[in-house]
Each structure stands twice: as C-alpha cells, then as structure tokens.
C-alpha cells in the first residue's frame, strides 16, 4: 500500500498583463476572463445555469462544486458571494444533532459548501491579488481569498473560511492526475480552463469518464464551450446537455445534468479501493473519546460543519501527550519517502491555517520560526539530499548557513540547517481549550470504560475511575477514538500495532538566573531542533527535550533522563554548550519537567479513518493473500460509525488537524481533503491488510 506520489514540483502560471491590467496566459495564449465584463460572464456561464441558490435551499449536508481551472479565482469569489447572500437570507436552523437522546433533526438547508478547483498552472498570491483588483466591488471577498491562498506546492490545499461554512480545496496538479484522486460525490461542475483548441490535454475522454464516476443523479454541468468533441464526450458518459446562447461574442455554450441511465455505468470500485469507502449512516449524535490534540481538532472539524459533539476524557483537556507547555510545530521531512513528506507538509500548512484562525501570536503559540539543525555529518548529508530532491518554495523551508542560523536564532550556532520561517512552538493545551469553546462541543470529564456496537449505533459506558463504578450509558451514532495508547483497551479485538514511547521534558528556570549568568536564554529567538528541541523562553522557563524511551512505562520523572536532555544542549550553540557539562554533572533531583507517552505506528504515519470489521473483511477478501491487486469488487465491511484518530507520535501538532478533517469528510460523505492514495496510507486497517497480504494472519 506504499505510494509513489512525486515531490512538490509545480509549474506556476506565466502571465502577460495588458495596458488595462488584464491577465493573459502565455502558455495558452488566452485570456482568463472576458475583458469587458468578467463578472457578468461568470454569472451567465456558470452560476446562473447551475441554479445554485435554488439547489442549496433544497439540499442537506455538504454541497460540493468542482471547477476545472481556478485561474484568477473569480468564479470562486462570485460563488462565495452568492453563498453568503443565501446564508443571510435563510431562516435560522437548529443543529443537526445532539448528544442527548432525541429524535434526529435534519437540516432543511445546506450548511456547508465545499468548492474544489484543479489548476495545473496556478497563479501566485500577488498575481491573484492583481487580477482581482480589477473588480473593486469584490474587494472584501478577494482579500478573504488572498489572505488564505496557499504556497504553490503540488497537491491538495484545503482552506476553511471561518464563520462562512465554506471550504475551498485547491488542487495544484493536472486534471488527469487529480480527478482519479477524488472520492466524490460532486453536485455541480464548472468546466472552465482554456478553450479546447488551445488546451486539448484537458478536454479528453479521461476527463468525462472521471466526471461520470464522481457525479450523482442530477449533478449539474456548466461550461463556456460547445465544441463538438466535448459535447459528444460528455453525452457518451451520461450527461444530458443543452446548447444555449454564449456570452458576448461567443455564439454558443452548454449546460446540463448527469443522467446515469444515459451512459455506461462505471464500476463503483474501479477507481477507489473498497477499504476507502465505508457505509454512510445517519448522523444523530457523535462522541469523541480523548481530549488531546487529535480529539479536540476532530471535534472542531465536525462542529464547524454544524454537528454537535461530546468529548470525553477523565484526565481533563490535553493533559497527557498533548500536555507539553511548548511543542515544536514543523514538518520533519524524509529525503526518500514522498508519501510521508507530502502528508506532513500538507498537515503542517493545515495546522498553520488553523492556528492563525484560532489563536493570536503570544496566546499559546509563537510563529517565531524553527531551525532544523544539521548537527551531525549524517544529518547535514540528509538535508542536502532532501533539498536537491525537492522543489519546495523558500517560504516553506530553505537551507541556511551557520552565520544565518546565528543571526536568526540570536545565539552563536555551530552549524546551519533547514529553516522553516513560519513554524514555531505551540501550547497544545491552549489550542485544545480554544477549540472546545465552540458552542456545538460539550466536554465531559468522565472515563469511557467500554463501547459496544448496537443495531443503530454505539453504547458508551462511563464509570468513575476511583472505584470503577459504572456511571451511565450513552447511545450515539458515531464514535471517534482519539485516546492514543488507551485505544486498544476500548477495541480489544482490533489489530492496532501501536507502540508507546516515553518522553520526558526538562524545564530550565530562567527567572532564577541560576545558570544563565549572561542572560543568553532571553536572546533565543527561534525554536531549535537537533537531537532534541528547545524553544524561546516562555513564562520564565525553557522547555528542553525530549527523551525517547521504548518499552518504558515509568511515569515518574528520572534524573537520568534530565541529564540525557542536558546532552542535547551541545546542538544549540556556543552559549548552551558552556553550561552543558555543569548541568550534566549536577545531581539535582528537583528539576522540573513532565513525562508523557507518545503513541506511534510501525510506519510512523497516524491511523485516521474508519475501522474495519476485521473478521468479515478477512473472510470476504481472502483472495488478497495470493494477489494483493486482485481484491473482490465488493464493499468492504466496516464497524459502522466507528473511527480512529491515533498514532501521531511527536508530530500531532502537524498531523492531527489534517486527520481530523479527513475523518469529518468520511462521516459527512464529503470529498477527502487529501488524495485517495494518502487516505489509504492513513487508513487504520492498513496494517491488518498488509498482514493478510503477507499471509501472517
């Protein structure tokens, strides 16, 4: 199940600007929008024929619109404008679900718009801004787009516009590569992009067949072209089309709907492996077990979609592995593993967007930058190999010299490294507290001792930890287990090959000035990562760590681990080097710190997604023992309504928010925020499937 998605190479748009400031593509020798009235053209060609307001009013759940060719973003901004008008005009509605047992309340209106756009030659942020400045009446929404617009990195970028109930997934890739990585469904298509005569690589049978696979009954289609090849290709794949008068000088254009019986029905499992397609069940109430970074981001992802969630944790909010006062938030990337790097880069960017929306700098986080130090010859070689094999923009990360590292950090460094200018440190507890403030999230300070599958959902038994006294039983439609190493207790019959890794932090008090005679600690301006990590002083102390102990369940702090942490100081520059020996030789058992237990997986990727019904899967898919590619074309059986979000190790700040959005998309029957290949790499059942393929089960 290993993937081979290529690294971050993407071709940016090449644009010429005329005397009026209008953009024109040099690749395709074509304009991005009508030079007389781009707004009127977009409404006439795409928005009006799609009957969006009417359909939003009759739709429940997430309405998904896919555009081929994002261009300047004009179609998105105008669609967003229509969505905001619709939201403001509709009557207030009750939440879709409640944790308290009651009849299911269904939405009468769509509460979430998911706009997906694929662009092979994306404009950068400044080009988008310049193009949209031609429409001053759209200035506010244009600024909203450009403020969230991502770096030009190949792959998926999902942006969430706070308080707008809108997500925008930008896929920087070729349409032929991107569409097979979507899981559907799509409710409306904007077939944009440049004219078929100038962009023939896009307008192919592959495009039309992918559209048919992703569409459902009455999915709409709108496009500026009426070219014969396009019309015949769409009709052959099941679209009923109308030719109507075009906009401006264009004679004709097309719109229509998908009628499955008109075209060949695609095999449901031809493009999506069955273990990525759990059965959708009605949402009545949702429980999340675990209030760490995984549980809280999942709760927020669901609440943002209008779903009421209850989070259970008997230890409180972010008190275990997520309880560190300062966690380094960056993407440690592998030189030779594209899948890991792509997932963690996407997760890192997703986390940055979430932090900017939820916390002010200084309130639980600081985007002070981070240097991944080339502290050994081996690490220096690895970093050089990584930079030579990738093409990430400098705004994401870049190599720096020893002198540059010293200037950035404020201390005298022994080496250079990789610099992440927008990274920094985060207080996981503060972030979790902020996320749980959402009005649709309820927190219960209780332990869930058992879960039991029922015909219509799940029962949760809560108890008092002190005497193991059964408290009460709650009935829910969905359960997300996000309690790390404790997950196996709740799922004793599931194959969860996680391992617990003990980590101990050491706190160095700067306010007492007991070792920092030159006050150098206050000069540290960025997070430093070597064999361990250290962040700028916060609330009078430095956070140094962390130890890495496998098969070690000792919860009490140990002097030996404090001393081991002191050895990391050698990486952090000349000033820390001077005090390293002195601290290592001390026998002060009163050093402050904390211990926590990371939950990791054999391949060091999280387990995020639906849980397989393993016994049923094993009997139905026994053929994969002989040939992994010849699995039966039938639905895989899952434990309906049960999901996992665990195994983040020390990278939860980077990976948990992205995994939370993935789980929310499963539950809400949405397109994934990541490619199907990446979703498969995160599937909790991947280890069970691998064991079957290897005939070890």
């Amino acid at each position: 199940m290993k993937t081979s998605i290529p690294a971050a190479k993407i071709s940016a748009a090449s644009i010429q600007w005329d005397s009026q400031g209008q953009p024109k593509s040099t690749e395709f020798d074509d304009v991005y929008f009508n030079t007389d009235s781009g707004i009127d053209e977009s409404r006439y060609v795409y928005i009006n024929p799609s009957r969006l307001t009417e359909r939003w009013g009759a739709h429940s759940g997430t309405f998904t619109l896919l555009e081929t060719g994002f261009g300047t973003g004009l179609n998105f901004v105008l669609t967003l404008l229509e969505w905001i008008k619709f939201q403001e005009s509709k009557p207030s509605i009750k939440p879709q679900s409640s944790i308290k047992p009651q009849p299911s309340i269904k939405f009468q209106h769509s509460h979430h718009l998911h706009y997906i756009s694929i662009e092979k030659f994306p404009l950068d942020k400044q080009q988008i801004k310049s193009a949209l400045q031609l429409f001053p009446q759209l200035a506010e929404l244009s600024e909203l787009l450009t403020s969230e617009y991502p770096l030009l990195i190949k792959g998926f970028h999902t942006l969430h516009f706070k308080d707008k109930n809108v997500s925008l997934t930008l896929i920087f890739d070729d349409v032929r590569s991107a569409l097979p990585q979507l899981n559907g469904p799509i409710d409306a298509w904007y077939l944009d992009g440049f004219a078929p005569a100038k962009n023939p690589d896009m307008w192919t049978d592959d495009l039309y067949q992918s559209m048919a696979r992703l569409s459902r009954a009455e999915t709409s289609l709108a496009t500026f072209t009426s070219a014969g090849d396009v019309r015949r290709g769409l009709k052959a794949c099941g679209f009923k089309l109308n030719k109507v008068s075009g906009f401006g000088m264009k004679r004709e254009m097309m719109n229509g709907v998908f009628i499955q019986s008109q075209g060949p029905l695609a095999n449901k499992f031809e493009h999506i492996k069955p273990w990525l397609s759990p059965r959708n069940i009605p949402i009545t109430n949702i429980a999340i077990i675990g209030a760490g970074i995984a549980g809280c981001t999942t709760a927020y992802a669901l609440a943002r979609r209008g779903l009421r969630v209850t989070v259970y944790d008997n230890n409180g909010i972010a008190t275990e592995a997520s309880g560190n006062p300062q966690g380094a938030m960056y993407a440690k990337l592998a030189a030779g593993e594209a899948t890991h790097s792509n997932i963690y880069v996407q997760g890192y960017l997703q986390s940055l967007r979430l932090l900017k929306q939820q916390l002010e700098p200084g309130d639980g986080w600081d985007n002070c930058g981070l240097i991944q130090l080339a502290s050994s010859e081996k690490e220096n070689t690895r970093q050089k190999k990584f930079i030579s094999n990738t093409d990430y923009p400098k705004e994401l990360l870049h190599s720096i010299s020893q002198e540059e590292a010293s200037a950035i950090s404020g201390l005298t460094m022994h080496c250079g490294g990789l610099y992440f200018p927008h990274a920094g440190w985060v207080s996981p507890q503060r972030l979790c507290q902020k996320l749980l403030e959402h009005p649709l999230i309820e927190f219960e300070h209780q332990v869930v001792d058992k879960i039991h599958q029922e015909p219509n959902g799940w029962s949760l038994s809560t108890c008092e930890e002190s005497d193991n006294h059964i408290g009460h039983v709650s009935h829910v439609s969905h359960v997300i287990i996000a309690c790390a190493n404790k997950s196996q207790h709740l799922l004793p019959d599931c194959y969860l090959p996680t391992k617990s890794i003990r980590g101990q932090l050491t706190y160095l008090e700067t306010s007492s000035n007991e070792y920092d005679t030159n006050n150098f600690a206050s000069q540290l301006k960025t997070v430093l990562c070597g064999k361990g990590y250290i962040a700028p002083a916060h609330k009078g102390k430095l956070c140094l760590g962390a130890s890495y102990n496998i098969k070690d369940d000792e919860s009490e702090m140990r002097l030996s681990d404090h001393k081991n942490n002191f050895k990391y100081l050698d990486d952090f520059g000349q000033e820390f080097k001077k005090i390293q020996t002195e601290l290592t030789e001390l026998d002060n058992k009163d050093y402050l710190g904390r211990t926590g237990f990371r939950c990791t997986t054999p391949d060091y990727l999280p387990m995020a997604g639906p849980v397989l019904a393993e016994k049923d899967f094993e009997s139905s898919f026994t053929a994969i023992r002989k040939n992994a590619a010849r699995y039966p074309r039938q639905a895989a059986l899952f434990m309906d309504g049960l999901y996992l979000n665990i195994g983040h190790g020390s990278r939860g700040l980077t990976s948990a928010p992205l995994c939370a959005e993935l789980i929310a998309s499963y539950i809400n029957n949405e397109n994934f925020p990541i490619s199907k290949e990446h979703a498969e790499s995160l599937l909790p059942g991947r280890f069970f499937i691998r064991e079957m393929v290897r005939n070890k089960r």
Side-chain angles (χ1 to χ4, degrees):
M1 293 168 66
K2 211 166 185 177
T3 63
S4 56
I5 297 175
K9 184 72 173 178
I10 190 72
S11 298
S14 176
I15 293 179
Q16 293 178 338
W17 303 86
D18 67 16
S19 58
Q20 304 300 313
Q22 299 271 359
K24 181 179 181 180
S25 168
T26 57
E27 282 100 356
F28 300 103
D29 189 30
D30 203 353
V31 295
Y32 280 92
F33 43 72
N34 186 282
T35 54
D36 294 326
S37 180
I39 291 178
D40 290 342
E41 178 188 39
S42 180
R43 286 176 172 152
Y44 182 86
V45 176
Y46 299 106
I47 294 174
N48 295 342
S50 300
R51 301 181 293 107
L52 295 178
T53 301
E54 173 189 341
R55 295 169 66 199
W56 289 336
H59 191 86
S60 108
T62 294
F63 187 96
T64 305
L65 191 157
L66 193 146
E67 173 188 41
T68 57
F70 188 71
T72 63
L74 180 59
N75 283 343
F76 169 72
V77 170
L78 290 171
T79 303
L80 178 58
L81 178 61
E82 294 300 313
W83 173 259
I84 292 172
K85 290 178 181 176
F86 166 72
Q87 293 278 303
E88 292 174 346
S89 67
K90 71 182 184 180
S92 60
I93 55 177
K94 296 180 181 180
Q96 183 178 359
S97 58
S98 170
I99 196 69
K100 298 175 182 178
Q102 64 178 44
S104 175
I105 302 172
K106 293 186 178 180
F107 273 107
Q108 298 302 310
H109 302 285
S110 173
H111 60 87
H112 182 224
L113 173 64
H114 189 187
Y115 192 109
I116 304 172
S117 192
I118 304 169
E119 179 58 69
K120 184 178 181 180
F121 299 101
L123 283 70
D124 63 30
K125 181 180 291 192
Q126 186 54 52
Q127 290 171 326
I128 294 274
K129 186 176 293 188
S130 298
L132 293 178
Q133 282 176 349
L134 296 170
F135 310 103
Q137 62 271 53
L138 302 176
E140 183 177 348
L141 295 184
S142 298
E143 172 60 27
L144 189 66
L145 169 62
T146 54
S147 67
E148 298 288 337
Y149 194 75
L151 298 175
L152 300 191
I153 297 173
K154 187 175 183 178
F156 287 54
H157 304 265
T158 298
L159 320 177
H160 304 294
F161 298 91
K162 193 174 183 181
D163 302 325
K164 297 285 190 280
N165 295 330
V166 173
S167 300
L168 167 63
T169 296
L170 288 169
I171 306 174
F172 294 152
D173 204 348
D174 187 279
V175 164
R176 293 173 297 180
S177 300
L179 285 177
Q181 291 298 327
L182 295 174
N183 57 300
I186 305 298
D187 297 294
W189 293 89
Y190 289 175
L191 282 191
D192 201 353
F194 297 103
K198 297 189 176 185
N199 187 19
D201 289 345
M202 189 190 91
W203 302 86
T204 66
D205 287 343
D206 288 342
L207 168 64
Y208 314 135
Q209 290 166 9
S210 289
M211 290 174 63
R213 176 180 66 84
L214 294 166
S215 296
R216 52 186 171 187
E218 301 303 313
T219 291
S220 66
L221 175 152
T223 182
F224 65 90
T225 186
S226 64
D229 287 347
V230 176
R231 184 175 67 255
R232 288 186 289 273
L234 288 168
K235 289 180 70 174
C237 288
F239 287 90
K240 182 180 179 181
L241 302 171
N242 305 306
K243 280 204 299 186
V244 296
S245 298
F247 182 82
M249 302 295 291
K250 293 181 179 178
R251 189 176 64 177
E252 291 178 322
M253 66 180 197
M254 291 187 296
N255 57 58
V257 295
F258 182 64
I259 309 293
Q260 276 192 330
S261 59
Q262 260 190 220
L265 289 175
N267 185 326
K268 181 179 179 182
F269 302 103
E270 183 178 353
H271 297 281
I272 180 168
K273 292 185 178 180
W275 42 80
L276 287 180
S277 185
R279 190 167 70 96
N280 293 113
I281 61 174
I283 305 169
T284 59
N285 35 42
I286 301 173
I288 296 177
I289 304 171
I293 191 71
C296 293
T297 53
T298 305
Y300 182 79
L302 292 162
R304 189 177 56 77
R305 290 162 169 82
L307 303 172
R308 190 176 293 278
V309 183
T310 295
V311 179
Y312 294 86
D313 198 312
N314 64 304
N315 291 319
I317 300 171
T319 57
E320 297 199 15
S322 296
N324 293 345
Q326 291 176 290
M329 209 288 286
Y330 74 116
K332 187 170 184 179
L333 307 177
E337 224 324 302
T339 297
H340 281 66
S341 292
N342 291 344
I343 289 174
Y344 281 113
V345 164
Q346 188 174 347
Y348 166 70
L349 296 173
Q350 181 83 11
S351 295
L352 281 180
R353 290 189 285 266
L354 178 68
L355 286 165
K356 289 176 182 177
Q357 287 188 353
Q358 296 299 319
L359 300 175
E360 294 293 329
D363 178 21
W365 85 298
D366 188 353
N367 56 337
C368 54
L370 180 147
I371 304 174
Q372 187 178 341
L373 296 164
S375 53
S376 67
E377 188 59 38
K378 180 180 178 181
E379 176 62 14
N380 184 47
T381 301
R382 190 197 73 82
Q383 290 187 9
K384 287 181 178 179
K385 179 182 177 182
F386 175 80
I387 290 295
S388 66
N389 289 347
T390 56
D391 189 39
Y392 290 114
K394 288 189 68 174
E395 297 95 322
L396 177 71
L397 81 165
H398 58 273
S399 293
I400 56 173
S401 65
Q402 175 186 348
E403 293 75 17
E404 290 170 319
S406 298
I408 291 169
S409 68
L411 300 177
T412 308
M413 293 290 104
H414 301 309
C415 60
L418 295 179
Y419 179 51
F420 294 77
H422 300 292
W425 65 264
V426 181
S427 164
Q429 189 171 70
R430 178 66 187 116
L431 176 60
C432 289
Q433 291 169 341
K434 182 67 175 178
L435 294 173
L436 294 192
E437 290 175 3
H438 193 288
L440 293 180
I441 300 175
E442 180 181 355
F443 176 70
E444 292 286 349
H445 200 289
Q446 293 181 325
V447 59
V448 176
D449 186 59
K450 294 179 181 179
I451 64 171
H452 177 71
Q453 189 170 20
E454 299 178 333
N456 295 315
W458 294 84
S459 64
L460 279 63
S461 299
T462 59
C463 67
E464 299 296 333
E465 188 180 29
S466 57
D467 57 4
N468 205 36
H469 175 68
I470 299 261
H472 67 276
V473 177
S474 299
H475 298 274
V476 299
S477 63
H478 291 73
V479 177
I480 299 103
I481 296 176
C483 51
N485 294 307
K486 296 179 180 178
S487 301
Q488 188 72 74
H489 171 74
L490 295 171
L491 298 173
D493 298 325
C494 287
Y495 181 58
L496 303 179
T498 58
K499 57 184 175 182
S500 175
I501 300 179
R502 181 184 184 275
Q504 180 174 310
L505 291 176
T506 301
Y507 303 151
L508 298 178
E509 299 284 346
T510 61
S511 56
S512 65
N513 203 35
E514 64 183 64
Y515 69 90
D516 187 7
T517 55
N518 295 316
N519 198 31
F520 67 84
S522 63
Q523 300 170 27
L524 178 60
K525 298 185 294 186
T526 191
V527 180
L528 301 175
C529 291
K531 291 184 286 293
Y533 78 93
I534 194 167
H538 179 58
K539 296 183 179 180
K541 64 184 178 185
L542 291 167
C543 182
L544 172 65
S547 62
Y548 194 90
N549 306 113
I550 302 174
K551 296 181 180 180
D552 185 343
D553 59 2
E554 173 61 57
S555 60
E556 297 297 321
M557 285 188 293
R558 298 189 293 240
L559 178 60
S560 59
D561 279 5
H562 284 313
K563 289 188 173 185
N564 186 65
N565 285 342
F566 295 149
K567 294 177 182 178
Y568 298 154
L569 293 170
D570 183 36
D571 293 341
F572 302 142
Q574 180 175 312
E575 291 85 354
F576 281 109
K577 173 70 172 175
K578 289 179 180 179
I579 67 165
Q580 180 195 30
T581 302
E582 178 184 349
L583 287 171
T584 304
E585 292 176 351
L586 290 177
D587 286 327
N588 186 350
K589 297 181 180 180
D590 296 326
Y591 277 116
L592 298 177
R594 74 182 304 271
T595 58
F597 294 87
R598 312 169 183 94
C599 176
T600 62
T601 68
D603 60 9
Y604 297 100
L605 285 173
M607 300 170 75
V611 178
L612 284 175
E614 292 178 356
K615 290 183 180 178
D616 293 327
F617 184 92
E618 189 171 13
S619 61
S620 299
F621 285 78
T622 188
I624 67 175
R625 296 183 186 278
K626 296 181 179 179
N627 187 333
R630 298 188 63 181
Y631 49 84
R633 296 317 196 247
Q634 64 188 55
L637 295 177
F638 291 85
M639 301 178 75
D640 288 343
L642 182 64
Y643 292 82
L644 277 177
N645 190 359
I646 64 172
H648 297 274
S650 58
R651 306 183 189 184
L653 286 168
T654 301
S655 55
L658 181 65
C659 290
E661 289 296 329
L662 174 62
I663 290 170
S665 69
Y666 273 117
I667 292 173
N668 223 35
N669 192 29
E670 300 172 11
N671 281 268
F672 298 154
I674 57 179
S675 70
K676 289 191 312 188
E677 288 192 28
H678 286 162
E680 184 184 8
S681 296
L682 298 173
L683 188 71
R686 67 186 184 271
F687 300 108
F688 182 84
I689 296 171
R690 289 171 188 169
E691 292 291 283
M692 283 186 63
V693 170
R694 296 166 183 164
N695 270 316
K696 291 185 177 181
R697 292 193 68 85

